[in-house]
mmCIF file of all heavy atoms in Angstrom:
data_model
loop_
_atom_site.group_PDB
_atom_site.id
_atom_site.type_symbol
_atom_site.label_atom_id
_atom_site.label_comp_id
_atom_site.label_asym_id
_atom_site.label_seq_id
_atom_site.Cartn_x
_atom_site.Cartn_y
_atom_site.Cartn_z
ATOM 1 N N ASN A 1 88.850 79.976 115.593
ATOM 2 C CA ASN A 1 88.144 81.134 115.176
ATOM 3 C C ASN A 1 87.310 81.746 116.334
ATOM 4 O O ASN A 1 86.469 82.656 116.126
ATOM 5 C CB ASN A 1 87.186 80.832 114.011
ATOM 6 C CG ASN A 1 87.884 80.610 112.704
ATOM 7 O OD1 ASN A 1 88.276 81.581 112.087
ATOM 8 N ND2 ASN A 1 88.080 79.371 112.338
ATOM 9 N N ASN A 2 87.516 81.247 117.573
ATOM 10 C CA ASN A 2 86.867 82.003 118.635
ATOM 11 C C ASN A 2 87.626 83.270 119.022
ATOM 12 O O ASN A 2 88.619 83.602 118.488
ATOM 13 C CB ASN A 2 86.712 80.998 119.821
ATOM 14 C CG ASN A 2 87.934 80.769 120.636
ATOM 15 O OD1 ASN A 2 88.939 81.450 120.522
ATOM 16 N ND2 ASN A 2 87.870 79.771 121.488
ATOM 17 N N ASP A 3 86.979 84.011 119.945
ATOM 18 C CA ASP A 3 87.620 85.394 120.250
ATOM 19 C C ASP A 3 89.005 85.354 120.830
ATOM 20 O O ASP A 3 89.743 86.338 120.664
ATOM 21 C CB ASP A 3 86.699 86.112 121.236
ATOM 22 C CG ASP A 3 85.359 86.414 120.593
ATOM 23 O OD1 ASP A 3 85.224 86.547 119.384
ATOM 24 O OD2 ASP A 3 84.387 86.699 121.290
ATOM 25 N N ASN A 4 89.333 84.264 121.428
ATOM 26 C CA ASN A 4 90.686 84.135 122.088
ATOM 27 C C ASN A 4 91.861 83.969 121.077
ATOM 28 O O ASN A 4 92.934 84.417 121.342
ATOM 29 C CB ASN A 4 90.737 82.993 122.998
ATOM 30 C CG ASN A 4 89.996 83.240 124.316
ATOM 31 O OD1 ASN A 4 89.979 84.442 124.849
ATOM 32 N ND2 ASN A 4 89.417 82.234 124.857
ATOM 33 N N PHE A 5 91.529 83.453 119.890
ATOM 34 C CA PHE A 5 92.526 83.129 119.005
ATOM 35 C C PHE A 5 92.415 83.758 117.575
ATOM 36 O O PHE A 5 93.368 83.751 116.778
ATOM 37 C CB PHE A 5 92.689 81.559 118.798
ATOM 38 C CG PHE A 5 93.015 80.824 120.124
ATOM 39 C CD1 PHE A 5 92.046 80.127 120.731
ATOM 40 C CD2 PHE A 5 94.213 80.954 120.654
ATOM 41 C CE1 PHE A 5 92.303 79.419 121.918
ATOM 42 C CE2 PHE A 5 94.598 80.342 121.860
ATOM 43 C CZ PHE A 5 93.643 79.632 122.491
ATOM 44 N N LYS A 6 91.185 84.203 117.282
ATOM 45 C CA LYS A 6 90.956 84.702 115.933
ATOM 46 C C LYS A 6 91.877 85.925 115.580
ATOM 47 O O LYS A 6 92.238 86.204 114.484
ATOM 48 C CB LYS A 6 89.435 85.142 115.789
ATOM 49 C CG LYS A 6 89.115 85.316 114.337
ATOM 50 C CD LYS A 6 87.578 85.565 114.131
ATOM 51 C CE LYS A 6 87.250 85.686 112.683
ATOM 52 N NZ LYS A 6 85.795 85.769 112.468
ATOM 53 N N PHE A 7 92.184 86.694 116.614
ATOM 54 C CA PHE A 7 93.032 87.863 116.449
ATOM 55 C C PHE A 7 94.415 87.552 115.818
ATOM 56 O O PHE A 7 95.002 88.333 115.101
ATOM 57 C CB PHE A 7 93.249 88.725 117.735
ATOM 58 C CG PHE A 7 94.359 88.079 118.611
ATOM 59 C CD1 PHE A 7 95.597 88.541 118.602
ATOM 60 C CD2 PHE A 7 94.052 86.988 119.388
ATOM 61 C CE1 PHE A 7 96.557 88.030 119.432
ATOM 62 C CE2 PHE A 7 95.048 86.470 120.263
ATOM 63 C CZ PHE A 7 96.311 86.963 120.274
ATOM 64 N N LEU A 8 94.861 86.305 116.003
ATOM 65 C CA LEU A 8 96.140 85.873 115.471
ATOM 66 C C LEU A 8 96.123 85.826 114.033
ATOM 67 O O LEU A 8 97.209 86.096 113.347
ATOM 68 C CB LEU A 8 96.471 84.432 115.903
ATOM 69 C CG LEU A 8 96.702 84.240 117.445
ATOM 70 C CD1 LEU A 8 96.676 82.777 117.813
ATOM 71 C CD2 LEU A 8 98.008 84.921 117.880
ATOM 72 N N GLN A 9 94.969 85.685 113.352
ATOM 73 C CA GLN A 9 94.901 85.598 111.901
ATOM 74 C C GLN A 9 95.117 86.959 111.248
ATOM 75 O O GLN A 9 95.364 86.979 109.959
ATOM 76 C CB GLN A 9 93.546 84.995 111.428
ATOM 77 C CG GLN A 9 93.344 83.512 112.010
ATOM 78 C CD GLN A 9 92.019 82.996 111.621
ATOM 79 O OE1 GLN A 9 91.542 83.198 110.536
ATOM 80 N NE2 GLN A 9 91.462 82.212 112.501
ATOM 81 N N ASN A 10 95.026 88.081 112.043
ATOM 82 C CA ASN A 10 95.235 89.405 111.489
ATOM 83 C C ASN A 10 96.652 89.830 111.724
ATOM 84 O O ASN A 10 97.014 90.992 111.346
ATOM 85 C CB ASN A 10 94.234 90.341 112.068
ATOM 86 C CG ASN A 10 92.799 89.937 111.645
ATOM 87 O OD1 ASN A 10 92.573 89.483 110.570
ATOM 88 N ND2 ASN A 10 91.920 90.046 112.647
ATOM 89 N N GLU A 11 97.401 89.124 112.568
ATOM 90 C CA GLU A 11 98.800 89.594 112.916
ATOM 91 C C GLU A 11 99.811 89.147 111.755
ATOM 92 O O GLU A 11 99.817 88.053 111.232
ATOM 93 C CB GLU A 11 99.259 88.920 114.203
ATOM 94 C CG GLU A 11 98.393 89.283 115.298
ATOM 95 C CD GLU A 11 98.466 90.880 115.639
ATOM 96 O OE1 GLU A 11 99.507 91.445 115.426
ATOM 97 O OE2 GLU A 11 97.485 91.356 116.236
ATOM 98 N N LYS A 12 100.648 90.096 111.422
ATOM 99 C CA LYS A 12 101.649 89.913 110.389
ATOM 100 C C LYS A 12 102.994 89.894 111.066
ATOM 101 O O LYS A 12 103.610 90.926 111.363
ATOM 102 C CB LYS A 12 101.606 90.938 109.310
ATOM 103 C CG LYS A 12 100.280 90.940 108.513
ATOM 104 C CD LYS A 12 100.314 92.082 107.483
ATOM 105 C CE LYS A 12 99.024 92.040 106.728
ATOM 106 N NZ LYS A 12 98.877 93.079 105.661
ATOM 107 N N ILE A 13 103.443 88.697 111.437
ATOM 108 C CA ILE A 13 104.696 88.593 112.211
ATOM 109 C C ILE A 13 105.668 87.637 111.460
ATOM 110 O O ILE A 13 105.285 86.599 110.879
ATOM 111 C CB ILE A 13 104.454 88.049 113.612
ATOM 112 C CG1 ILE A 13 103.346 88.788 114.309
ATOM 113 C CG2 ILE A 13 105.708 87.998 114.438
ATOM 114 C CD1 ILE A 13 102.933 88.204 115.622
ATOM 115 N N SER A 14 106.944 88.060 111.404
ATOM 116 C CA SER A 14 107.895 87.272 110.610
ATOM 117 C C SER A 14 108.309 85.985 111.237
ATOM 118 O O SER A 14 108.103 85.853 112.527
ATOM 119 C CB SER A 14 109.150 88.145 110.407
ATOM 120 O OG SER A 14 109.749 88.410 111.648
ATOM 121 N N ILE A 15 108.854 85.094 110.484
ATOM 122 C CA ILE A 15 109.438 83.832 110.951
ATOM 123 C C ILE A 15 110.506 84.148 112.015
ATOM 124 O O ILE A 15 110.565 83.470 113.086
ATOM 125 C CB ILE A 15 109.965 82.962 109.847
ATOM 126 C CG1 ILE A 15 109.001 82.617 108.848
ATOM 127 C CG2 ILE A 15 110.694 81.729 110.490
ATOM 128 C CD1 ILE A 15 109.542 81.750 107.658
ATOM 129 N N LYS A 16 111.350 85.140 111.789
ATOM 130 C CA LYS A 16 112.332 85.503 112.701
ATOM 131 C C LYS A 16 111.849 85.817 114.080
ATOM 132 O O LYS A 16 112.493 85.390 115.075
ATOM 133 C CB LYS A 16 113.074 86.727 112.202
ATOM 134 C CG LYS A 16 114.297 87.157 112.969
ATOM 135 C CD LYS A 16 115.020 88.279 112.326
ATOM 136 C CE LYS A 16 116.293 88.727 113.123
ATOM 137 N NZ LYS A 16 117.036 89.798 112.545
ATOM 138 N N LYS A 17 110.684 86.504 114.141
ATOM 139 C CA LYS A 17 110.144 86.891 115.480
ATOM 140 C C LYS A 17 109.425 85.749 116.133
ATOM 141 O O LYS A 17 109.400 85.526 117.320
ATOM 142 C CB LYS A 17 109.210 88.076 115.414
ATOM 143 C CG LYS A 17 109.956 89.368 115.098
ATOM 144 C CD LYS A 17 108.950 90.531 115.080
ATOM 145 C CE LYS A 17 109.711 91.915 114.977
ATOM 146 N NZ LYS A 17 108.742 93.049 114.982
ATOM 147 N N LEU A 18 108.706 84.931 115.407
ATOM 148 C CA LEU A 18 107.847 83.847 115.906
ATOM 149 C C LEU A 18 108.675 82.538 116.022
ATOM 150 O O LEU A 18 108.439 81.736 116.976
ATOM 151 C CB LEU A 18 106.734 83.618 115.013
ATOM 152 C CG LEU A 18 105.464 84.499 115.193
ATOM 153 C CD1 LEU A 18 104.350 83.999 114.263
ATOM 154 C CD2 LEU A 18 105.005 84.598 116.583
ATOM 155 N N GLY A 19 109.557 82.292 115.186
ATOM 156 C CA GLY A 19 110.227 80.939 115.087
ATOM 157 C C GLY A 19 109.461 80.093 114.116
ATOM 158 O O GLY A 19 108.238 80.408 113.920
ATOM 159 N N LEU A 20 110.165 79.221 113.480
ATOM 160 C CA LEU A 20 109.497 78.477 112.364
ATOM 161 C C LEU A 20 108.266 77.759 112.690
ATOM 162 O O LEU A 20 107.251 77.722 111.970
ATOM 163 C CB LEU A 20 110.532 77.458 111.733
ATOM 164 C CG LEU A 20 110.021 76.630 110.600
ATOM 165 C CD1 LEU A 20 109.567 77.396 109.405
ATOM 166 C CD2 LEU A 20 111.149 75.630 110.155
ATOM 167 N N LYS A 21 108.310 76.985 113.835
ATOM 168 C CA LYS A 21 107.152 76.125 114.265
ATOM 169 C C LYS A 21 105.825 76.978 114.443
ATOM 170 O O LYS A 21 104.782 76.640 113.995
ATOM 171 C CB LYS A 21 107.485 75.301 115.528
ATOM 172 C CG LYS A 21 108.502 74.261 115.246
ATOM 173 C CD LYS A 21 108.808 73.505 116.494
ATOM 174 C CE LYS A 21 109.933 72.388 116.242
ATOM 175 N NZ LYS A 21 110.253 71.705 117.520
ATOM 176 N N LYS A 22 106.020 78.082 115.178
ATOM 177 C CA LYS A 22 104.871 78.868 115.531
ATOM 178 C C LYS A 22 104.315 79.601 114.280
ATOM 179 O O LYS A 22 103.159 79.793 114.016
ATOM 180 C CB LYS A 22 105.173 79.897 116.628
ATOM 181 C CG LYS A 22 105.231 79.245 118.022
ATOM 182 C CD LYS A 22 105.499 80.293 119.100
ATOM 183 C CE LYS A 22 105.449 79.663 120.454
ATOM 184 N NZ LYS A 22 106.550 78.812 120.726
ATOM 185 N N TRP A 23 105.321 80.088 113.436
ATOM 186 C CA TRP A 23 104.919 80.742 112.202
ATOM 187 C C TRP A 23 104.222 79.812 111.288
ATOM 188 O O TRP A 23 103.219 80.150 110.673
ATOM 189 C CB TRP A 23 106.210 81.258 111.554
ATOM 190 C CG TRP A 23 105.946 81.970 110.166
ATOM 191 C CD1 TRP A 23 105.636 83.248 109.935
ATOM 192 C CD2 TRP A 23 105.964 81.341 108.919
ATOM 193 N NE1 TRP A 23 105.379 83.515 108.682
ATOM 194 C CE2 TRP A 23 105.629 82.307 107.986
ATOM 195 C CE3 TRP A 23 106.271 80.069 108.523
ATOM 196 C CZ2 TRP A 23 105.558 82.105 106.603
ATOM 197 C CZ3 TRP A 23 106.153 79.763 107.056
ATOM 198 C CH2 TRP A 23 105.783 80.782 106.165
ATOM 199 N N LEU A 24 104.664 78.539 111.213
ATOM 200 C CA LEU A 24 103.977 77.559 110.337
ATOM 201 C C LEU A 24 102.558 77.325 110.851
ATOM 202 O O LEU A 24 101.609 77.215 109.989
ATOM 203 C CB LEU A 24 104.752 76.281 110.396
ATOM 204 C CG LEU A 24 104.282 75.226 109.450
ATOM 205 C CD1 LEU A 24 104.219 75.623 107.961
ATOM 206 C CD2 LEU A 24 105.130 73.903 109.542
ATOM 207 N N ILE A 25 102.363 77.156 112.172
ATOM 208 C CA ILE A 25 101.037 76.901 112.648
ATOM 209 C C ILE A 25 100.031 78.047 112.325
ATOM 210 O O ILE A 25 98.970 77.749 111.768
ATOM 211 C CB ILE A 25 101.052 76.677 114.189
ATOM 212 C CG1 ILE A 25 101.749 75.389 114.623
ATOM 213 C CG2 ILE A 25 99.621 76.794 114.786
ATOM 214 C CD1 ILE A 25 101.991 75.217 116.065
ATOM 215 N N ILE A 26 100.469 79.312 112.611
ATOM 216 C CA ILE A 26 99.568 80.383 112.313
ATOM 217 C C ILE A 26 99.393 80.602 110.819
ATOM 218 O O ILE A 26 98.319 81.021 110.310
ATOM 219 C CB ILE A 26 100.044 81.695 113.018
ATOM 220 C CG1 ILE A 26 98.896 82.638 113.189
ATOM 221 C CG2 ILE A 26 101.249 82.310 112.384
ATOM 222 C CD1 ILE A 26 97.785 82.138 113.994
ATOM 223 N N THR A 27 100.376 80.370 109.949
ATOM 224 C CA THR A 27 100.292 80.387 108.551
ATOM 225 C C THR A 27 99.230 79.380 107.984
ATOM 226 O O THR A 27 98.440 79.770 107.140
ATOM 227 C CB THR A 27 101.618 80.263 107.857
ATOM 228 O OG1 THR A 27 102.512 81.306 108.314
ATOM 229 C CG2 THR A 27 101.472 80.394 106.319
ATOM 230 N N LEU A 28 99.261 78.214 108.463
ATOM 231 C CA LEU A 28 98.310 77.205 108.058
ATOM 232 C C LEU A 28 96.895 77.570 108.451
ATOM 233 O O LEU A 28 95.953 77.400 107.639
ATOM 234 C CB LEU A 28 98.670 75.848 108.565
ATOM 235 C CG LEU A 28 100.001 75.223 108.071
ATOM 236 C CD1 LEU A 28 100.365 73.941 108.842
ATOM 237 C CD2 LEU A 28 99.878 74.937 106.588
ATOM 238 N N ILE A 29 96.761 78.146 109.624
ATOM 239 C CA ILE A 29 95.420 78.545 110.107
ATOM 240 C C ILE A 29 94.857 79.744 109.217
ATOM 241 O O ILE A 29 93.749 79.720 108.766
ATOM 242 C CB ILE A 29 95.479 78.978 111.590
ATOM 243 C CG1 ILE A 29 95.721 77.742 112.470
ATOM 244 C CG2 ILE A 29 94.146 79.625 111.988
ATOM 245 C CD1 ILE A 29 95.957 78.086 113.906
ATOM 246 N N LYS A 30 95.718 80.684 108.949
ATOM 247 C CA LYS A 30 95.297 81.854 108.151
ATOM 248 C C LYS A 30 94.885 81.481 106.812
ATOM 249 O O LYS A 30 94.011 82.039 106.219
ATOM 250 C CB LYS A 30 96.551 82.828 108.040
ATOM 251 C CG LYS A 30 96.886 83.624 109.185
ATOM 252 C CD LYS A 30 98.057 84.552 108.936
ATOM 253 C CE LYS A 30 98.380 85.459 110.156
ATOM 254 N NZ LYS A 30 99.547 86.365 109.893
ATOM 255 N N ASN A 31 95.567 80.377 106.188
ATOM 256 C CA ASN A 31 95.132 79.892 104.874
ATOM 257 C C ASN A 31 94.167 78.740 104.851
ATOM 258 O O ASN A 31 94.037 78.094 103.773
ATOM 259 C CB ASN A 31 96.444 79.583 104.199
ATOM 260 C CG ASN A 31 97.309 80.773 103.815
ATOM 261 O OD1 ASN A 31 97.088 81.524 102.885
ATOM 262 N ND2 ASN A 31 98.398 80.928 104.630
ATOM 263 N N ASN A 32 93.548 78.550 106.014
ATOM 264 C CA ASN A 32 92.492 77.498 106.165
ATOM 265 C C ASN A 32 92.990 76.138 105.798
ATOM 266 O O ASN A 32 92.217 75.298 105.256
ATOM 267 C CB ASN A 32 91.281 77.882 105.298
ATOM 268 C CG ASN A 32 90.529 79.069 105.740
ATOM 269 O OD1 ASN A 32 90.283 79.242 106.962
ATOM 270 N ND2 ASN A 32 90.334 80.062 104.821
ATOM 271 N N LEU A 33 94.256 75.846 105.977
ATOM 272 C CA LEU A 33 94.813 74.557 105.653
ATOM 273 C C LEU A 33 94.821 73.663 106.931
ATOM 274 O O LEU A 33 95.842 73.196 107.443
ATOM 275 C CB LEU A 33 96.293 74.702 105.127
ATOM 276 C CG LEU A 33 96.413 75.551 103.874
ATOM 277 C CD1 LEU A 33 97.869 75.867 103.571
ATOM 278 C CD2 LEU A 33 95.711 74.879 102.685
ATOM 279 N N TYR A 34 93.598 73.388 107.348
ATOM 280 C CA TYR A 34 93.395 72.664 108.651
ATOM 281 C C TYR A 34 93.715 71.213 108.647
ATOM 282 O O TYR A 34 94.228 70.663 109.526
ATOM 283 C CB TYR A 34 91.960 72.908 109.104
ATOM 284 C CG TYR A 34 91.629 74.287 109.619
ATOM 285 C CD1 TYR A 34 90.990 75.159 108.785
ATOM 286 C CD2 TYR A 34 92.140 74.713 110.890
ATOM 287 C CE1 TYR A 34 90.675 76.475 109.290
ATOM 288 C CE2 TYR A 34 91.830 76.023 111.244
ATOM 289 C CZ TYR A 34 91.155 76.858 110.476
ATOM 290 O OH TYR A 34 90.931 78.165 110.887
ATOM 291 N N TYR A 35 93.536 70.638 107.413
ATOM 292 C CA TYR A 35 93.816 69.195 107.277
ATOM 293 C C TYR A 35 95.404 69.062 107.271
ATOM 294 O O TYR A 35 95.921 68.035 107.919
ATOM 295 C CB TYR A 35 93.299 68.611 106.015
ATOM 296 C CG TYR A 35 91.848 68.231 106.050
ATOM 297 C CD1 TYR A 35 90.881 69.134 105.792
ATOM 298 C CD2 TYR A 35 91.498 66.995 106.536
ATOM 299 C CE1 TYR A 35 89.467 68.852 105.968
ATOM 300 C CE2 TYR A 35 90.109 66.654 106.652
ATOM 301 C CZ TYR A 35 89.172 67.576 106.307
ATOM 302 O OH TYR A 35 87.871 67.215 106.490
ATOM 303 N N LEU A 36 96.114 69.934 106.647
ATOM 304 C CA LEU A 36 97.573 69.915 106.674
ATOM 305 C C LEU A 36 98.092 70.171 108.069
ATOM 306 O O LEU A 36 99.023 69.495 108.594
ATOM 307 C CB LEU A 36 98.081 70.886 105.699
ATOM 308 C CG LEU A 36 99.644 70.919 105.494
ATOM 309 C CD1 LEU A 36 100.072 69.555 105.044
ATOM 310 C CD2 LEU A 36 100.064 72.000 104.479
ATOM 311 N N LEU A 37 97.495 71.095 108.771
ATOM 312 C CA LEU A 37 97.855 71.393 110.127
ATOM 313 C C LEU A 37 97.606 70.179 111.035
ATOM 314 O O LEU A 37 98.443 69.898 111.843
ATOM 315 C CB LEU A 37 97.051 72.567 110.709
ATOM 316 C CG LEU A 37 97.169 72.954 112.141
ATOM 317 C CD1 LEU A 37 98.636 73.423 112.425
ATOM 318 C CD2 LEU A 37 96.210 74.074 112.530
ATOM 319 N N TYR A 38 96.441 69.551 110.866
ATOM 320 C CA TYR A 38 96.171 68.391 111.628
ATOM 321 C C TYR A 38 97.211 67.250 111.536
ATOM 322 O O TYR A 38 97.703 66.709 112.458
ATOM 323 C CB TYR A 38 94.819 67.827 111.262
ATOM 324 C CG TYR A 38 94.360 66.562 112.021
ATOM 325 C CD1 TYR A 38 93.606 66.603 113.116
ATOM 326 C CD2 TYR A 38 94.766 65.282 111.507
ATOM 327 C CE1 TYR A 38 93.199 65.493 113.817
ATOM 328 C CE2 TYR A 38 94.353 64.138 112.157
ATOM 329 C CZ TYR A 38 93.600 64.286 113.380
ATOM 330 O OH TYR A 38 93.211 63.089 113.943
ATOM 331 N N PHE A 39 97.569 66.967 110.235
ATOM 332 C CA PHE A 39 98.432 65.852 110.070
ATOM 333 C C PHE A 39 99.846 66.233 110.459
ATOM 334 O O PHE A 39 100.728 65.364 110.911
ATOM 335 C CB PHE A 39 98.426 65.373 108.565
ATOM 336 C CG PHE A 39 97.174 64.628 108.253
ATOM 337 C CD1 PHE A 39 96.206 65.150 107.471
ATOM 338 C CD2 PHE A 39 97.025 63.310 108.866
ATOM 339 C CE1 PHE A 39 95.067 64.381 107.245
ATOM 340 C CE2 PHE A 39 95.880 62.637 108.564
ATOM 341 C CZ PHE A 39 94.813 63.168 107.790
ATOM 342 N N ALA A 40 100.284 67.515 110.342
ATOM 343 C CA ALA A 40 101.616 67.881 110.851
ATOM 344 C C ALA A 40 101.709 67.726 112.328
ATOM 345 O O ALA A 40 102.716 67.199 112.822
ATOM 346 C CB ALA A 40 101.889 69.357 110.482
ATOM 347 N N LEU A 41 100.721 68.098 112.983
ATOM 348 C CA LEU A 41 100.693 67.957 114.465
ATOM 349 C C LEU A 41 100.436 66.496 114.951
ATOM 350 O O LEU A 41 100.918 66.036 115.970
ATOM 351 C CB LEU A 41 99.661 68.892 115.125
ATOM 352 C CG LEU A 41 99.990 70.397 114.993
ATOM 353 C CD1 LEU A 41 98.914 71.241 115.672
ATOM 354 C CD2 LEU A 41 101.369 70.711 115.631
#
């Protein structure tokens, strides 16, 4: 949520453009699923 990365939460980018892994990371962050993100990584 700092200035360097918070902008990512407002970006609407498809899985096709990002790739599944990056799309999953940013989707979990956007939905505040930090515990799920932690255990996945």
